[in-house]
Amino acid sequence: MSATRVPIAAADWLSAHLLNSIGSIRPDERRDVAGAFVTLLGFMAGHALLETARDALFLATIPASQLPWVYLTIAVVALLLAQRRFSVPERVAGWHELTIWLVLAGIVTLIFWLLIPVADNWIYYALYTWSGVLATLVVVRFWTVLGNRFTVTQAKRLFAVIGTGSVAGAIAGSAFARLMTGLLPARHVVLAAAAVFFVSALGPRMLRQEPTAPLADEKSGLDIARLGQFIWQRPYLRRVAVLILVATITVTFVDFVFKLKVSRVVSDDELGAFFSSVYLSLNVLSLVVQVFFVSWLFRRVGVNWALAVVPMLLLLGATGFVIGGSLLLVLVLKAADGTLRHSLNRTGTELLFVPLAVDVRGRAKAFVDVIGQRGGQALASLLILVTVSVTTREVVFGVGAALAAAVWLYLAIDLRRYYLDVFRETLADEITETRIRFPALDMVSLETLVSTLNSTDDRKVIAAMDMLAAEGKVGVVPGLILYHPSSSVVIHALDVFTRSARDDCAPIAERLSAHSDPEVRAALLRFQSSVKPEELALKAALEDPSLAVRSTALVGLVAGGWLLPAEALKALDDASRSGTPEELIALGNAIRLQPSSVFDDVLLQLSQSNAPEVQREAVRAMRAVRSAGYAPRLMAMLQQRALREEVRKTLVSLGPNAFTRLVSALRDPAQPHGVKRHVPGAIAEFHSQQSADALLDHLQLETDGMVRFKILRALGKLRNSEPQLELDGKRLGQALHDTLAVALRFMRWRQALDRGAGEDVTRQTEVERALASLLKDKQWHAVERLFRLLNLQTNNEDFHRIYRGLQSVSRESQAGSRELLEHLVVPPVKKPLLDLIDDLFDPTGVSEANDEDTESAPSYESVLRELVNSPLESLSSFAACHIGELELSELLELVGRTKPLSESHAEVLRQVSGRLDEPGRGVTV
C-alpha cells in the first residue's frame, strides 16, 4: 500500500470501527471525520502537556497575582498575529495548512524546552503566553476548516464526534503529564509536548484534499477596523461576538479564582502533580459528557438552549463558591468549566458559525474568535488587575465570575431568534418572490403610455390601452384611435370604450358601420348598444351578412325592449349551434355587455362549445347575468384548467346559492373526483369566515388525499389573503396528528419493503419497485400536507418556504430548513416530522428513527397484508400483484377475500386470487 493510501485506509478504519460508535457517520464523511479527530486529539494532547508544565513552572516561581498580566499579554499578541497572514515556503506549499501549524508548534515548543534551564523568569511568562496564543491560532483555524466542509445538519451530528478527539487528547496528555511529573521535573513535560505536536502533524493528511490555500500568501491580513464594522452591522454576528467575549471574561475569572485559591493551599513542590491530577479528572469527565450527552443534548434542545447550560452551571458554581469559599467549592466551579468548556461549549460555539455563508464565515470567524476570546481575556485581565490593586480576596473574584455568567446566560438565550434569522435569510436569498406591483402612474409614465398608442406594434398599443384602463385613464385614449389600420386595435378600443361607458367618441364610431371586418361591425354594435342604443340601427344590422353582427343586433334589440325574447331566442339558439368560434365569441360578448336572464339557455349552450375561447366568453357573460341556474354547469367546468379561474370568479358572483352548492358537493361522496378536487379552491374564492369554517369542517372527514391537499392549499390561500380569519387550532392540531400518522405509516411500509427486498433477492421485482416508489410518493405528499398544516397554525412563520428549502439543490438551504424545523416545531410533532424529513431528503443519513429496535419493525408479509387491505386502490392493487408473483399462498387467500373498491380493482383481485387454483402454485414463503 502506498504512503498516500495509508492515512486514507487508517481514516476509514477509524471511523468505521471506533468513531461510528459515538455518532452516525456516513461513508463519504469518514475521511474528514477521522482526519479531524486524529488532528484534534494530537494537538490537544500536546497542549494538555504544555498547559500542565506551564502552570506548574509559572506558579512555582511567580505569584498568582501576576497572572492577569500574562492574560493581557496573550490577548495583545493574539490580536497582533490575527492581523497578519504568513507566506509559505515553496518547498512546503503542498502541505495542509494544519500540518504547517502543528510543525511550527513543535519547533517553537522544543526551543522553549532548550531555553528553560538557561533563561531567567521571563521564560515562564513567555511559555505561558505561547501556550495561550498557540491554542487560539490553531484551534480557531481548525474549526474554520471544518466549518467549510460540513453543513449545519452534518455539523450537529459530526462535531460532537470530532470534539471527542479534543477531550480524549486532553485526557491522554493529562495522564501522560501526571505520570511524568511523578518521575521527572516539569520542564521535561515541555519536551513531550513538542514531540506530540510533531506526531500530530500527520493527522491532516487523512482529510480529503480540497482547493484551499494553506496560509495565504498575503502579507497584510485582517483589517480590524473594516472587519469590526462588517460584524457590528450584522445583528447575529454582533451578538455572537459579544457572547464569546462575555464567555471568555467568565472563564478567565473562574480560572483566576481557581489558581489563586490553589496557590494559597497547595505547596509549590506539589503543584505539578496537583494540576495534572485535576486536569486528568476534568478531562475524563469532559469525555463522558462529550460521548454521552453533547450530541443528545443538541438533538433534544437545539444549539441555543444547549449553549445556555454552561453559563447556568457556572452561575450556580460561582454563587456556591461566594457563599462557601472552600477549596472543594472552587474545584466544583472549575469542574463545571473544565468539563464543559472544551466539550459542550466548544461544539456549540463552532455550530454558531456553520450557518453563515462561506464568504461571511471566512471573513468573520477568525476575527470574532480572536477578538471574543483574547479581547475578553484582556478585559477580564484589566478588571482583575484593578481589583487586585484593592483586594486579593477570592470571594470578590467569585462575585465577578457569577455576574459575568449571568450576562452570558442572558445572551445565550437571547441569541435564539437571531440564530434562526440566519436560516430564514438563507432561504429568502434563494427563494425570491416574483410578483410585481406597479406603482401609480406619474406624469412621465402617463406620457410614455400615451405615446405608445402611436406604435406600429399592435400588441404594444393594446397593452398600453389596458394599462390606461386599469389606472382609470381611458379618457386620455384619443377617439381617433378608431381610425387605426389594424382591426384588432379598433375592436379592442371599442371594447375598452364600452366597458368604461365612454360616449364622447360615438360620432367617430358611427363611421365604422360600413367597415369591411364583421368583427369590427359587431364591436361597434356592442358599443352603441351600451352607450347610445338606437332601434333603427340595430334592426338594420339584422340584414348584415355576418352571423356575428346579426346575433349582436338581436341581443341589443331584446335588451332594449324592442323585440320580444321569444322572437329572438330561436335565432340566437340556432346561432349558438351553427356559428363559428369568432361568431359565438361575439354573441357571448354582446350578452355580457347587455346581460339579461332571458339569455340563460343560450349561454348554457355556448358553454357546451368545443372551443375553450367560446366557453370562456360564455362564463364571463354568466358572471354578468348572475342566474342561479348556472351553478351546476359551472361546477362541472371546474375540471378545465384553462377556464378554472374565470369559473371560480363567476361562482362567487352567484352568491350564497353557489356557495351552498359548492359545500354540498364537497361533502358528497358520489361527486366525481375530477370536480370535487377543485371545489375547495372555488370555496376559498368567497374569502369569508364561512369559507374557512366549511373547509376546516370537511378536512378531517375527507378520505381522499388529493382532496385533503386541495383543502389545505385553499385554506393557505385564504389565510394569506384574509389573515384576520380565525382557524380552529384544535381541529388543525388533530388534522396534523392524523396526517403525521398517515405519513409515518407510508414510511414504515416502504422501509419494511426495502429491508425485505434486501434480505431476499427474489422479492426485487418491477412490481415491488413500483410499490415502493408509490409509497414514497404518497409519503412525500403527506409531508407536504404537514407543512401546509404547520403554516396554518402560525401567522409569523413561513413553513412553505422552509419546505421549498428542503427541496433545494443547495446543501446549505436543506440544512437551514431542517435547523429551523428543529427550533420551530415542538414535541410531540418534532421528532416524527424530522424522521420523515431525513427519510425523504437525506436517505443515506441516519435519523433517530433508525435507532429504534429493528425487531419491532413489521415483517415483509405483514406489510403486504396491510397494503392489500388498504382503502387506497392503487396500493391494494400493487400489493395484490406482488403477492401473486411471489406465490404467497396464505396471502393469496386473503386477496380472494378482499372487498373490491372498483371494477378494475375487482378484476386485479380476481386474477391474483385465481393463482391458487393453478397447479404448482401456492408455495408458502
Side-chain angles (χ1 to χ4, degrees):
M1 184 178 294
S2 67
T4 305
R5 293 292 303 166
V6 171
I8 299 175
D12 289 340
W13 182 90
L14 182 66
S15 63
H17 294 84
L18 178 60
L19 299 182
N20 205 55
S21 62
I22 301 173
S24 304
I25 307 171
R26 300 190 310 218
D28 61 311
E29 299 165 343
R30 288 178 179 175
R31 281 186 60 185
D32 282 337
V33 173
F37 177 87
V38 170
T39 301
L40 193 57
L41 183 147
F43 174 75
M44 293 307 297
H47 191 265
L49 286 163
L50 186 61
E51 190 178 50
T52 302
R54 69 114 199 256
D55 285 348
L57 291 169
F58 187 93
L59 292 177
T61 310
I62 300 168
S65 59
Q66 297 299 305
L67 278 174
W69 291 107
V70 184
Y71 297 156
L72 193 59
T73 305
I74 292 173
V76 172
V77 174
L79 289 173
L80 290 174
L81 291 177
Q83 296 183 74
R84 299 191 59 82
R85 295 184 184 265
F86 306 96
S87 59
V88 181
E90 192 172 326
R91 59 180 173 275
V92 297
W95 293 12
H96 195 284
E97 178 181 354
L98 295 175
T99 297
I100 298 173
W101 277 116
L102 292 169
V103 170
L104 289 174
I107 294 172
V108 175
T109 305
L110 181 62
I111 293 173
F112 273 106
W113 175 73
L114 295 172
L115 291 177
I116 287 174
V118 297
D120 294 329
N121 285 353
W122 65 265
I123 196 67
Y124 302 118
Y125 286 95
L127 179 64
Y128 209 114
T129 302
W130 162 244
S131 65
V133 171
L134 175 65
T136 299
L137 297 178
V138 175
V139 173
V140 167
R141 192 59 204 155
F142 172 85
W143 289 107
T144 301
V145 170
L146 291 191
N148 292 335
R149 289 173 181 257
F150 300 122
T151 66
V152 68
T153 302
Q154 289 176 301
K156 289 176 68 176
R157 181 164 42 86
L158 301 178
F159 276 15
V161 180
I162 295 169
T164 307
S166 172
V167 184
I171 291 175
S174 300
F176 192 28
R178 179 68 183 88
L179 178 64
M180 289 189 68
T181 53
L183 302 174
L184 299 169
R187 165 183 168 249
H188 295 299
V189 180
V190 178
L191 176 61
V196 173
F197 287 144
F198 284 127
V199 175
S200 64
L202 298 174
R205 294 192 62 188
M206 294 183 181
L207 297 171
R208 289 181 295 112
Q209 294 298 317
E210 290 194 354
T212 56
L215 294 179
D217 295 331
E218 308 170 32
K219 298 254 183 186
S220 61
L222 302 177
D223 183 336
I224 286 186
R226 188 180 304 170
L227 267 178
Q229 183 181 18
F230 174 82
I231 291 168
W232 194 255
Q233 291 174 347
R234 287 158 175 78
Y236 176 70
L237 280 176
R238 182 169 70 244
R239 282 165 174 80
V240 170
V242 174
L243 176 74
I244 295 175
L245 184 81
V246 174
T248 305
I249 291 173
T250 306
V251 298
T252 303
F253 266 98
V254 170
D255 187 66
F256 181 75
V257 170
F258 168 69
K259 289 174 181 175
L260 184 62
K261 187 70 176 180
V262 169
S263 67
R264 293 175 174 176
V265 176
V266 181
S267 62
D268 292 347
D269 58 343
E270 294 179 352
L271 285 174
F274 178 84
F275 281 123
S276 58
S277 298
V278 170
Y279 292 158
L280 176 60
S281 302
L282 295 183
N283 288 330
V284 170
L285 289 175
S286 185
L287 179 63
V288 173
V289 171
Q290 185 75 24
V291 172
F292 296 105
F293 295 101
V294 171
S295 182
W296 173 84
L297 194 61
F298 282 122
R299 289 199 309 268
R300 292 295 179 183
V301 302
V303 174
N304 300 105
W305 289 112
L307 279 173
V309 171
V310 181
M312 181 173 61
L313 292 178
L314 289 179
L315 176 60
L316 294 174
T319 303
F321 174 73
V322 169
I323 296 173
S326 66
L327 177 62
L328 177 62
L329 290 173
V330 84
L331 284 173
V332 171
L333 176 61
K334 182 62 179 176
D337 172 33
T339 302
L340 301 176
R341 191 202 308 183
H342 298 297
S343 55
L344 178 62
N345 190 62
R346 167 55 70 178
T347 303
T349 302
E350 296 305 327
L351 285 171
L352 294 178
F353 291 98
V354 177
L356 298 172
V358 175
D359 58 333
V360 175
R361 183 166 60 238
R363 295 178 63 187
K365 186 181 186 317
F367 180 83
V368 170
D369 269 338
V370 173
I371 293 293
Q373 292 182 18
R374 296 315 172 189
Q377 195 174 47
L379 286 175
S381 301
L382 291 173
L383 290 172
I384 291 172
L385 285 172
V386 171
T387 307
V388 165
S389 66
V390 178
T391 180
T392 57
R393 293 179 60 194
E394 299 101 336
V395 67
V396 175
F397 299 102
V399 171
L403 292 175
V407 176
W408 181 4
L409 178 61
Y410 167 77
L411 292 172
I413 296 173
D414 182 63
L415 185 65
R416 179 179 183 271
R417 60 192 178 103
Y418 299 96
Y419 175 75
L420 297 182
D421 283 344
V422 175
F423 298 104
R424 294 187 182 104
E425 290 169 7
T426 300
L427 296 180
D429 290 341
E430 180 177 345
I431 305 169
T432 57
E433 297 293 339
T434 58
R435 297 191 182 108
I436 300 174
R437 183 182 296 275
F438 286 103
L441 292 176
D442 54 22
M443 185 57 67
V444 175
S445 302
L446 189 60
E447 291 177 355
T448 302
L449 281 176
V450 173
S451 65
T452 304
L453 297 175
N454 298 320
S455 173
T456 57
D457 187 337
D458 295 351
R459 293 172 301 176
K460 291 183 178 180
V461 176
I462 291 172
M465 283 192 287
D466 285 340
M467 290 189 68
L468 289 168
E471 294 294 329
K473 303 291 185 182
V474 176
V476 303
V477 178
L480 293 176
I481 200 171
L482 297 178
Y483 286 126
H484 198 283
S486 170
S487 294
S488 60
V489 170
V490 174
I491 293 170
H492 200 80
L494 286 168
D495 286 344
V496 168
F497 294 161
T498 302
R499 290 195 299 270
S500 63
R502 180 178 169 182
D503 58 0
D504 62 308
C505 52
I508 300 175
E510 288 180 2
R511 302 182 183 184
L512 298 174
S513 59
H515 200 284
S516 60
D517 190 334
E519 292 187 38
V520 172
R521 299 198 300 273
L524 173 63
L525 280 180
R526 291 195 297 270
F527 171 71
Q528 291 175 330
S529 298
S530 174
V531 301
K532 190 180 179 181
E534 294 182 0
E535 180 182 4
L536 293 178
L538 290 170
K539 287 185 174 180
L542 293 176
E543 304 299 326
D544 195 284
S546 169
L547 178 60
V549 177
R550 296 198 303 272
S551 299
T552 303
L554 284 171
V555 171
L557 288 169
V558 172
W562 298 302
L563 186 66
L564 293 177
E567 299 179 33
L569 286 179
K570 186 178 185 306
L572 290 174
D573 185 62
D574 292 340
S576 66
R577 297 177 186 276
S578 61
T580 64
E582 292 75 16
E583 293 169 335
L584 298 182
I585 291 172
L587 174 56
N589 208 343
I591 296 175
R592 176 170 61 86
L593 294 173
Q594 299 174 87
S596 174
S597 60
V598 299
F599 303 120
D600 287 353
D601 291 338
V602 176
L603 290 178
L604 289 172
Q605 184 63 40
L606 289 177
S607 71
Q608 302 284 349
S609 171
N610 293 325
E613 59 271 22
V614 175
Q615 291 181 302
R616 183 178 294 105
E617 196 58 48
V619 172
R620 290 173 178 170
M622 289 176 179
R623 186 154 69 243
V625 176
R626 300 183 182 181
S627 291
Y630 298 148
R633 174 58 188 155
L634 288 168
M635 289 170 56
M637 295 175 76
L638 283 171
Q639 300 179 77
Q640 297 174 251
R641 182 183 181 89
L643 302 176
R644 196 169 299 140
E645 184 177 353
E646 294 288 349
V647 170
R648 287 173 176 170
K649 291 178 181 178
T650 304
L651 283 168
V652 172
S653 72
L654 301 184
N657 181 272
F659 180 82
T660 303
R661 285 179 176 269
L662 287 167
V663 173
S664 298
L666 187 61
R667 296 171 178 171
D668 183 6
Q671 189 71 224
H673 184 269
V675 174
K676 190 173 183 179
R677 62 189 294 188
H678 298 298
V679 168
I683 293 175
E685 287 296 322
F686 285 82
H687 296 286
S688 64
Q689 185 65 51
Q690 289 80 5
S691 302
D693 292 341
L695 291 170
L696 201 52
D697 285 342
H698 191 69
L699 180 61
Q700 290 179 258
L701 302 176
E702 181 56 56
T703 58
D704 187 281
M706 177 55 71
V707 178
R708 288 199 302 273
F709 169 77
K710 294 289 188 178
I711 292 175
L712 288 174
R713 190 161 74 171
L715 283 169
K717 289 182 178 179
L718 260 179
R719 166 58 63 82
N720 290 336
S721 62
E722 308 292 338
Q724 77 280 0
L725 294 181
E726 295 182 4
L727 299 179
D728 189 335
K730 184 176 181 180
R731 282 187 287 182
L732 284 175
Q734 185 60 48
L736 184 68
H737 178 271
D738 295 342
T739 306
L740 187 62
V742 169
L744 289 171
R745 190 180 309 125
F746 289 142
M747 182 179 74
R748 180 175 62 88
W749 284 340
R750 201 198 78 253
Q751 289 177 342
L753 290 180
D754 291 343
R755 186 169 52 251
E759 295 169 352
D760 187 349
V761 295
T762 62
R763 295 167 174 169
Q764 298 176 11
T765 67
E766 290 295 329
V767 176
E768 184 274 331
R769 283 188 284 273
L771 181 56
S773 178
L774 179 61
L775 285 169
K776 186 170 186 178
D777 185 62
K778 290 188 175 298
Q779 178 185 342
W780 187 293
H781 287 297
V783 168
E784 184 177 356
R785 294 199 297 273
L786 285 172
F787 274 87
R788 291 184 179 276
L789 282 164
L790 288 170
N791 221 32
L792 291 172
Q793 285 188 319
T794 176
N795 281 324
N796 54 9
E797 197 62 56
D798 190 352
F799 281 95
H800 176 60
R801 177 167 287 174
I802 295 174
Y803 178 71
R804 291 175 64 185
L806 287 170
Q807 297 174 300
S808 169
V809 296
S810 165
R811 292 195 315 158
E812 288 73 20
S813 294
Q814 292 176 3
S817 291
R818 193 187 189 282
E819 187 71 5
L820 283 170
L821 288 176
E822 283 201 35
H823 286 80
L824 297 175
V825 181
V826 298
V829 175
K830 180 168 74 172
K831 182 183 179 299
L833 177 61
L834 291 177
D835 289 340
L836 288 165
I837 295 302
D838 291 340
D839 181 71
L840 283 176
F841 297 103
D842 188 16
T844 58
V846 182
S847 68
E848 291 186 42
N850 294 331
D851 296 334
E852 297 176 2
D853 187 3
T854 55
E855 293 182 2
S856 63
S859 67
Y860 199 81
E861 287 77 9
S862 65
V863 167
L864 289 178
R865 184 185 302 275
E866 291 181 59
L867 288 172
V868 167
N869 289 320
S870 168
L872 301 177
E873 181 180 338
S874 56
L875 290 179
S876 180
S877 297
F878 273 105
C881 291
H882 191 44
I883 289 170
E885 65 181 358
L886 293 181
E887 302 176 357
L888 304 175
S889 59
E890 291 184 5
L891 296 183
L892 284 171
E893 293 177 358
L894 173 65
V895 170
R897 298 193 302 270
T898 300
K899 183 179 179 180
L901 302 172
S902 68
E903 292 183 6
S904 58
H905 186 223
E907 179 62 20
V908 171
L909 297 176
R910 186 190 62 77
Q911 291 184 10
V912 172
S913 61
R915 297 174 68 89
L916 277 172
D917 301 326
E918 298 179 19
R921 304 293 184 184
V923 181
T924 302
V925 179

